[in-house]
Amino acid sequence: MSRLFSRFLLAILLVLGAVEVLPAAQASAERPNIVLIFVDDLGWKDVGCYGNEFVETPNIDQLAAEGVRFTNFYASGAVCSPTRCALQSGQNQARIGITAHIPGHWRPFERVQTPRPTNAMPSETVTVAESLKQAGYTTGYIGKWHLGSGELFSPGGQGYDFDAEINGPHFEGKYRARRKDLKPKAGQYRTEFETDLARGFIQRSSEKPFFLMISPFAVHIPLGAMSSKVEKYRAKAGDNPDTHLPHPIYAAMIEHVDDMVGRIMDQLRQSGLDRNTMVVFTSDNGGLYRRYDFNPEADRSVSVQKPLRGEKGTLFEGGIRVPLIIRYPGVAAQGKVCDEPTITHDFYPTFVELAGGSLPENQPIDGVNLLPLIRDPQGSLGREALYWHYPHYHHDRPSSAIRQGDWKLIEYIDGTGQTLLFNLADDLGETTDLSQSNPGRTQQLRQQLSRWRNSVVARMPIPNPHYDPDRAGEWWSVRTGKPIDSQARKRFPATEKDL
Ligand SMILES: [Ca+2]
């Protein structure tokens, strides 16, 4: 028998053997599906199981009762695009340069000039969807993308078989899918449309393992929700102008998201997939308290994150600490809490491990596989530190941060040299700066943060020759290249009745 023929025979036997041992249907039945619900701007304190007593979130709370709830989970960034970039690429967004929301805004007359952020995730990035496709998964994307426009940079161009990118705020006629054949029903609120698309995808995909990312635009401003829900929360708040409560429309938006979770879980049960699917529920950044250019006379607050300090657009806990719930029956502990610090870019290696795939070569992966923690929430990842880099003016000044154990250091990179040190175990609200009383730890963390920034080639602000204290507060739009006129902003309808 010639060597060539014996190899051929061996190959045939291997194929036959493989088919016999592992039929395709059985293989897919054993490999779990992944559903990631990635809410926009949902803060750490915005749902019931994280301590919110005003908003009703029975479906999200049920998810926590059946899975693991993470108390120290962080968004990779303080705003949308950076965290989304970290999620898709498995690495800190500072490596890619998407450090601000796309297209962003800036303050041309501030003390420092901030780096112009990259305006699309490069197409050569191997996304989590591409890695899962490589492992034989069908991939779907529904909702907000915010990582660049045009075919090449769309979800479809970045590894998603089903691309239902949707843009525009919450009411029918105001938002639309990029794919023109995907149309909402008359009067349909955006999260309901997104949920219908998700249910359809799950129904169509039960033959093969799938990864579905659902990225609702709720609960991002402009505030807008269906009147039935808004009226309920207005009645609940009464005439109380108490800013310790979330805005009634915001509360209603959270309930829309809770409905979404309930209807997606129903579909998984109907399709017989609820036991073999990992469901992940989280947010892209902390809750918004007020617009960055907010006029205190004009409106009331949106979300309340107390006892956390800060909000979306800051590196205080209120800007980056967000909910994370993972439900995966048979594997994830039920109703348990995990206090280990974790971060958005951990999803990439977690999902790829779950799918039995492999991580891309030649692409640094900063995330850590969370499966051991999902099995044993009391375990530890043994990670040295978590890092953030946000070199832009927004709700705070340009800054970087490091968390190591219970210690957190925020360094302002705006030419002031200011540094804040907190111990989160004693001071979750970051009220007491310990940098003066702990100079040794402050210096160590500051050096470690600096080494990390160098290692990822993080772009830094530079002194601004046009610095003008009188005009430093002006906001300019990257999209128009002109100053932003906050007073001229159009008011958006609060409910469908205002349309
Ligand atoms: Ca966001």
Side-chain angles (χ1 to χ4, degrees):
M1 202 158 43
S2 79
R3 180 174 288 183
L4 191 66
F5 183 69
S6 64
R7 278 193 184 165
F8 177 66
L9 201 65
L10 184 66
I12 296 265
L13 285 173
L14 279 175
V15 168
L16 287 174
V19 168
E20 215 172 80
V21 174
L22 208 64
Q26 188 190 332
S28 67
E30 284 169 358
R31 291 206 294 166
N33 310 298
I34 303 163
V35 172
L36 170 60
I37 303 171
F38 200 70
V39 188
D40 201 345
D41 285 11
L42 184 78
W44 194 59
K45 294 294 287 183
D46 281 340
V47 292
C49 56
Y50 280 84
N52 193 309
E53 292 173 352
F54 183 67
V55 186
E56 294 163 29
T57 55
N59 294 299
I60 297 166
D61 300 347
Q62 182 65 24
L63 210 59
E66 295 170 356
V68 181
R69 183 171 70 83
F70 290 74
T71 58
N72 281 261
F73 179 74
Y74 289 98
S76 303
V79 289
C80 300
S81 307
T83 304
R84 288 156 193 270
C85 175
L87 167 67
Q88 297 300 336
S89 66
Q91 56 185 227
N92 191 289
Q93 62 276 7
R95 292 185 188 271
I96 290 178
I98 299 187
T99 48
H101 62 284
I102 296 170
H105 49 46
W106 88 112
R107 284 159 65 148
F109 305 108
E110 265 291 0
R111 188 189 293 267
V112 288
Q113 277 181 351
T114 53
R116 170 81 46 125
T118 306
N119 66 3
M121 187 170 65
S123 51
E124 57 267 34
T125 303
V126 181
T127 64
V128 63
E130 283 162 337
S131 285
L132 291 170
K133 255 170 87 115
Q134 190 78 33
Y137 275 55
T138 301
T139 53
Y141 196 95
I142 295 164
K144 169 169 160 174
W145 175 245
H146 215 169
L147 285 173
S149 52
E151 286 295 326
L152 196 58
F153 303 115
S154 67
Q158 296 278 27
Y160 290 89
D161 300 315
F162 176 63
D163 174 354
E165 182 186 352
I166 302 169
N167 290 296
H170 316 292
F171 299 111
E172 196 249 315
K174 300 281 183 188
Y175 64 82
R176 55 182 48 80
R178 229 164 45 83
R179 245 178 71 177
K180 293 188 173 57
D181 59 318
L182 302 174
K183 288 202 172 74
K185 292 181 201 141
Q188 201 169 28
Y189 186 74
R190 184 169 154 171
T191 60
E192 288 170 10
F193 177 49
E194 289 162 334
T195 306
D196 282 356
L197 290 170
R199 286 167 62 105
F201 179 87
I202 293 167
Q203 281 167 7
R204 291 193 302 275
S205 308
S206 52
E207 295 298 311
K208 213 177 149 197
F210 64 82
F211 167 54
L212 173 61
M213 177 161 171
I214 305 147
S215 176
F217 184 50
V219 295
H220 197 289
I221 56 169
L223 293 173
M226 298 302 278
S227 55
S228 56
K229 288 191 192 298
V230 173
E231 278 154 24
K232 181 172 99 177
Y233 287 105
R234 282 203 173 123
K236 215 169 162 177
D239 297 326
N240 190 358
D242 183 358
T243 50
H244 297 296
L245 289 179
H247 196 290
I249 302 174
Y250 185 71
M253 293 167 86
I254 296 171
E255 198 178 295
H256 278 294
V257 170
D258 189 71
D259 289 352
M260 167 184 262
V261 171
R263 291 186 60 223
I264 288 171
M265 293 311 295
D266 278 346
Q267 185 58 56
L268 288 172
R269 274 188 289 273
Q270 280 171 30
S271 298
L273 298 173
D274 63 310
R275 290 202 61 78
N276 194 33
T277 300
M278 176 186 273
V279 177
V280 179
F281 176 87
T282 190
S283 173
D284 67 341
N285 52 252
L288 175 77
Y289 182 58
R290 282 174 181 160
R291 280 193 66 98
Y292 66 95
D293 56 348
F294 177 74
N295 169 6
E297 314 295 311
D299 209 346
R300 61 175 288 174
S301 61
V302 177
S303 166
V304 179
Q305 296 305 310
K306 284 193 173 72
L308 303 188
R309 178 172 175 180
E311 58 176 319
K312 172 184 179 174
T314 77
L315 296 184
F316 292 111
E317 295 290 293
I320 50 178
R321 194 187 284 232
V322 293
L324 168 64
I325 301 166
I326 300 182
R327 178 193 187 272
Y328 182 25
V331 177
Q334 279 202 10
K336 292 283 191 322
V337 169
C338 178
D339 299 323
E340 179 75 356
T342 46
I343 194 160
T344 314
H345 41 267
D346 292 339
F347 294 149
Y348 194 125
T350 305
F351 295 166
V352 170
E353 181 71 27
L354 194 66
S358 42
L359 294 173
E361 292 170 20
N362 308 321
Q363 178 169 311
I365 297 292
D366 296 316
V368 174
N369 172 19
L370 298 179
L371 289 178
L373 271 188
I374 293 165
R375 293 191 188 98
D376 173 19
Q378 302 306 310
S380 164
L381 294 175
R383 177 157 39 198
E384 149 194 276
L386 292 175
Y387 302 94
W388 294 265
H389 182 58
Y390 191 37
H392 304 280
Y393 293 95
H394 196 184
H395 292 262
D396 199 358
R397 293 172 286 132
S399 49
S400 303
I402 174 173
R403 176 171 174 179
Q404 187 169 56
D406 292 328
W407 292 95
K408 181 174 165 196
L409 177 127
I410 298 176
E411 180 186 4
Y412 287 95
I413 45 177
D414 65 337
T416 63
Q418 190 191 359
T419 301
L420 302 172
L421 178 70
F422 303 107
N423 187 306
L424 296 174
D426 305 332
D427 182 21
L428 180 62
E430 298 170 291
T431 59
T432 311
D433 171 26
L434 302 172
S435 61
Q436 298 302 314
S437 52
N438 289 264
R441 189 173 298 276
T442 300
Q443 191 191 17
Q444 175 246 317
L445 290 174
R446 201 171 168 158
Q447 284 172 351
Q448 196 173 330
L449 181 56
S450 170
R451 276 198 302 274
W452 171 79
R453 278 194 307 247
N454 289 338
S455 75
V456 299
V457 198
R459 297 180 207 174
M460 296 291 279
I462 54 172
N464 186 0
H466 310 294
Y467 176 45
D468 178 350
D470 293 336
R471 299 186 65 188
E474 281 182 24
W475 289 101
W476 285 49
S477 159
V478 171
R479 189 175 56 82
T480 63
K482 291 179 181 160
I484 294 169
D485 183 357
S486 300
Q487 300 308 318
R489 188 175 286 116
K490 271 195 311 206
R491 281 199 79 79
F492 185 79
T495 75
E496 77 283 6
K497 291 180 178 170
D498 304 331
L499 282 166

